[in-house]
Amino acid sequence: MLTEERHFTILNFLKEKEAVKIHELTEATGASESTIRRDLTDLEDAGLLRRVHGGAAKVSRKRIEPTMGEKSARFSEEKRAAGRLAASFIEDDDCVFIDAGTTTLALIPYIQAKNIVAVTNGFDHLRLLAERGIQAYGTGGMLKPSTEALTGTGAVHGLQQYWFDKAFLGVNGIHLKAGYTTPDPEEAAVKREALKRAQQPFILADASKFQESTFTHIADLDAAVIITGRIPEKTRRMFEEATDIKEALS
Amino acid sequence: MLTEERHFTILNFLKEKEAVKIHELTEATGASESTIRRDLTDLEDAGLLRRVHGGAAKVSRKRIEPTMGEKSARFSEEKRAAGRLAASFIEDDDCVFIDAGTTTLALIPYIQAKNIVAVTNGFDHLRLLAERGIQAYGTGGMLKPSTEALTGTGAVHGLQQYWFDKAFLGVNGIHLKAGYTTPDPEEAAVKREALKRAQQPFILADASKFQESTFTHIADLDAAVIITGRIPEKTRRMFEEATDIKEALS
DNA sequence: ATCATTTTCAATCATTTTTATTCAAAAACA
DNA sequence: TGTTTTTGAATAAAAATGATTGAAAATGAT
């Protein structure tokens, strides 16, 4: 029996069943154990099956990244609530921008809208969107190792190809005087560009970001609607004069 | 029996079956082994079948690629050797493009050169580069869920910001007549753009890619230097007339 | 848990099979 | 007739195979 035929036979076994024993294959092909082993090694290298002790198993088509699941499990109640609320603003056929950062990451699992297109500069975001079957585009740009975000002129340049219905941005500071701020000027440039290109921009932030200001100015408060989990009554009253605030847990 | 008749007979065998042995063909045609061998060589050159040890097999012109998950996580010795050889071409201060795909992924661990800048359209590649402390840029574009590559006009657009010293590309087929080919036209466009923007383009491929052709043409063979792990003597001789081949394990 | 037993594995080696190459004979052609 | 093309046999090289080995992994009993 030809090598090619054996390979074909082996793969056919795995179309029917989840796994196959070496002994079954020696019997079906008439080849020796050594030969079957070599075949299995070849086919594994080609990525067509997975070797297991005693035989071979099907390769699973869906590869769900466990780290992502773990990550989302680690979201606080506030982040999840804010994410769910933010996701509810996304409508069918929307084109949205989703900023890098954990706050915006929390909104992705709650997206229900059909047929949307999402652009993101977040590394994990890109994968999570694709895993959820959402058409996902990366902005391009340099991968900033610390935050796993694509930044710099490459990202801005990438953004300039698109126009958004909605944009969901994360920030580090929300301040009555300083407006929205973030430490890295490169990231600020990306956020500013996204803000400019969205009809409805949203800022996702948890309570810790309020009344903070960091190095680089992104925009004034009234440039976007703020979505948050739960904030103190006092803070809410203070900021809702400056812009619209959507609070998930009231 | 006429040469034409024999060819017809051989091809008919392959319509019925997945593969055919030389012995079956000598029996069916009455010709000697040598003659059948010559026939098979001719028919392979015409792209009508694929020679395998002991006979010939069908050419599968399937447009469906194995997904990244199906491709094995563990690199074969050949892939590693090819990766190491490819990495040795990267010099200090180079700007390189690294294509998506497992073959090119295998080169990243071996990069020794200092102060290089890498641009990639591979999702995993981006992370791996950043993990190794290499300044890494993503091209942007749509994330293709199956292969985890950024493709489409977004990726091409992203590429057009850069100019490379070297480019390392993966392909699905290397064929004397068809040149370099890949199933997805979108990906082909990205590869073509990268090829255009690199002073020294390299193609990384394992032995299985030779004499295969898939749907979309990328470039002719002489457009790049081929880097491979180990290929059969015959294959090497056949292709080294068409372009430069660097073989890691000789 | 630990230990002994059984099974499976990867690596090596000798053997067999297949291959490309060469060359001379046969066939086809002018 | 001579010339070219096709063919088949002989060969050494390359590839595939199957048996054997000690190591590794799974299994079962204690």
Side-chain angles (χ1 to χ4, degrees):
Chain A
M1 191 180 230
L2 237 41
T3 308
E4 209 64 20
E5 292 180 277
R6 282 200 315 275
H7 286 190
F8 189 74
T9 307
I10 293 170
L11 293 176
N12 263 352
F13 263 85
L14 286 176
K15 272 182 193 156
E16 305 299 319
K17 314 200 296 177
E18 201 57 35
V20 62
K21 283 200 271 280
I22 293 220
H23 182 68
E24 295 179 79
L25 294 173
T26 57
E27 213 164 63
T29 60
S32 74
E33 255 188 41
S34 298
T35 302
I36 297 295
R37 280 180 210 293
R38 271 184 280 255
D39 286 343
L40 294 185
T41 309
D42 290 349
L43 290 170
E44 181 175 49
D45 282 346
L48 299 170
L49 53 76
R50 185 167 47 87
R51 293 200 63 179
V52 295
H53 202 86
K58 254 186 183 167
V59 284
S60 57
R61 258 168 205 287
K62 51 186 175 187
R63 57 193 225 115
I64 294 136
E65 191 65 44
T67 58
M68 197 57 69
E70 288 167 22
K71 255 183 199 165
S72 48
R74 251 183 275 125
F75 290 140
S76 67
E77 183 61 29
E78 261 106 336
K79 277 219 167 107
R80 275 205 300 278
R84 188 160 41 224
L85 177 58
S88 72
F89 287 104
I90 303 178
E91 296 169 291
D92 289 356
D93 307 309
D94 268 353
C95 301
V96 301
F97 174 78
I98 298 175
D99 193 17
T102 53
T103 320
T104 50
L105 192 62
L107 93 77
I108 297 176
Y110 297 109
I111 295 175
Q112 298 291 334
K114 300 292 169 207
N115 195 34
I116 70 163
V117 179
V119 178
T120 180
N121 63 330
F123 189 82
D124 292 333
H125 303 58
L126 193 54
R127 160 166 294 177
L128 194 51
L129 284 163
E131 267 173 16
R132 292 187 52 84
I134 293 163
Q135 201 175 350
Y137 289 77
T139 55
M142 192 182 84
L143 183 64
K144 194 177 158 188
S146 56
T147 53
E148 307 213 316
L150 295 161
T151 61
T153 53
V156 174
H157 188 246
L159 270 176
Q160 285 163 352
Q161 301 174 75
Y162 309 112
W163 183 256
F164 307 110
D165 293 306
K166 281 125 192 172
F168 298 90
L169 304 175
V171 298
N172 287 67
I174 298 178
H175 193 276
L176 282 176
K177 292 223 177 74
Y180 303 115
T181 55
T182 197
D184 183 344
E186 294 290 346
E187 284 196 38
V190 174
K191 289 174 202 289
R192 213 149 36 216
E193 189 67 33
L195 207 64
K196 205 164 74 186
R197 308 186 80 79
Q199 296 199 337
Q200 288 183 57
F202 298 91
I203 300 288
L204 269 74
D206 57 61
S208 70
K209 307 291 166 54
F210 287 84
Q211 285 174 305
E212 290 287 328
S213 71
T214 59
F215 185 55
T216 321
H217 173 82
I218 301 163
D220 291 333
L221 289 187
D222 62 2
V225 173
I226 298 173
I227 297 177
T228 184
R230 191 206 313 270
I231 51 172
E233 180 64 17
K234 194 180 92 184
T235 308
R236 200 177 57 75
R237 271 204 304 276
M238 187 184 291
F239 281 88
E240 72 186 357
E241 286 175 21
T243 188
D244 197 1
I245 297 184
K246 310 285 185 187
E247 199 178 349
L249 307 165
S250 54
Chain B
M1 191 181 233
L2 232 44
T3 308
E4 286 297 315
E5 288 182 84
R6 283 201 314 275
H7 285 192
F8 186 75
T9 308
I10 294 170
L11 292 176
N12 262 352
F13 263 88
L14 287 176
K15 273 183 192 156
E16 305 298 319
K17 312 203 298 175
E18 198 61 26
V20 62
K21 284 199 268 282
I22 295 232
H23 181 68
E24 296 179 79
L25 294 172
T26 58
E27 216 165 60
T29 61
S32 74
E33 259 188 37
S34 298
T35 304
I36 297 295
R37 281 180 210 293
R38 273 184 276 255
D39 287 343
L40 294 185
T41 309
D42 291 348
L43 290 170
E44 181 175 48
D45 285 346
L48 298 170
L49 53 76
R50 185 164 47 88
R51 292 202 64 180
V52 296
H53 203 87
K58 260 185 182 166
V59 283
S60 58
R61 201 161 296 238
K62 50 183 174 190
R63 289 197 45 187
I64 300 120
E65 303 170 78
T67 67
M68 199 67 140
E70 285 169 349
K71 287 177 187 167
S72 84
R74 138 175 171 244
F75 295 131
S76 67
E77 183 60 28
E78 267 96 345
K79 278 221 168 104
R80 276 202 301 276
R84 189 158 43 221
L85 177 59
S88 73
F89 287 104
I90 304 179
E91 296 168 291
D92 290 356
D93 307 310
D94 268 353
C95 301
V96 301
F97 174 76
I98 298 175
D99 192 17
T102 52
T103 320
T104 50
L105 192 62
L107 94 78
I108 297 176
Y110 297 110
I111 295 175
Q112 298 290 336
K114 301 292 170 206
N115 194 34
I116 70 164
V117 178
V119 178
T120 181
N121 63 329
F123 190 81
D124 293 331
H125 303 57
L126 194 54
R127 185 212 309 269
L128 195 52
L129 284 163
E131 271 174 13
R132 292 188 51 85
I134 294 164
Q135 201 175 350
Y137 289 77
T139 57
M142 192 182 87
L143 184 64
K144 193 178 159 188
S146 59
T147 52
E148 312 214 318
L150 295 161
T151 61
T153 53
V156 173
H157 188 246
L159 270 178
Q160 284 163 352
Q161 302 173 74
Y162 310 113
W163 183 257
F164 307 110
D165 293 306
K166 280 127 194 169
F168 298 90
L169 304 176
V171 300
N172 287 65
I174 299 179
H175 194 276
L176 280 177
K177 294 230 176 71
Y180 303 114
T181 54
T182 198
D184 183 344
E186 294 290 346
E187 284 196 35
V190 174
K191 289 173 203 290
R192 217 152 30 219
E193 188 68 32
L195 206 65
K196 206 163 71 185
R197 310 187 78 80
Q199 297 199 335
Q200 289 184 55
F202 298 91
I203 300 287
L204 270 74
D206 58 62
S208 71
K209 307 291 166 52
F210 287 84
Q211 283 301 90
E212 290 286 329
S213 70
T214 58
F215 187 55
T216 320
H217 173 82
I218 301 163
D220 290 332
L221 289 188
D222 62 2
V225 174
I226 299 174
I227 297 178
T228 184
R230 192 207 310 271
I231 53 173
E233 178 65 16
K234 185 185 98 187
T235 308
R236 198 176 57 73
R237 270 202 301 276
M238 185 185 290
F239 281 88
E240 72 187 356
E241 287 175 22
T243 188
D244 198 2
I245 297 184
K246 310 284 186 189
E247 200 177 349
L249 308 165
S250 54

